[in-house]
Amino acid sequence: DKVKEDLLVRIDILCTLLGIELKILDKYSGWPFRKDSEMQKLCHEVFTELTGETLKVEKHNSCAETGIILGAIPEMDIVALAPYGKDAHTPNEHMDLSTVQPFWDFLVLLLKKMCE
């Protein structure tokens, strides 16, 4: 977040020098990757138990809500999960329906193991 704020200050200075008004409409907290995440470890274990495969972790420019929660509770161990979708928040948004049931099975087992 500090890097982002510093960059915004520089951009604002540049805009002022050029006579441009800078409007920032949204500000979301960053979400740093945690190598020590027990939640990620559990997700890997559950995925492997269900599929026999290794979970592929991807970082996307998404999940603003998760960043907001983590901004308020920085010590929280958190992951974002969803069935496969594309073009979120656009008129072309869609979800691959074939990923919904496997996602549901994963989520149910994950919640069960979190309660053990």
Side-chain angles (χ1 to χ4, degrees), residues 10-78:
R10 290 176 173 206
I11 292 171
D12 188 42
I13 292 169
L14 181 59
C15 288
T16 301
L17 291 172
L18 295 171
I20 300 169
E21 180 184 1
L22 175 64
K23 287 186 180 180
I24 300 169
L25 303 177
D26 293 311
K27 291 175 90 174
Y28 296 107
S29 297
W31 184 9
F33 178 76
R34 288 183 50 182
K35 290 183 179 182
D36 65 335
S37 170
E38 288 298 318
M39 192 65 197
Q40 284 185 48
K41 181 180 175 186
L42 182 58
C43 287
H44 282 274
E45 291 171 7
V46 168
F47 187 82
T48 300
E49 182 177 328
L50 281 174
T51 68
E53 299 175 12
T54 301
L55 179 64
K56 179 181 177 185
V57 176
E58 296 179 347
K59 181 162 176 43
H60 291 272
N61 186 19
S62 61
C63 305
E65 300 84 356
T66 313
I68 292 168
I69 294 166
L70 196 57
I73 312 169
E75 66 278 4
M76 181 181 278
D77 189 4
I78 193 167

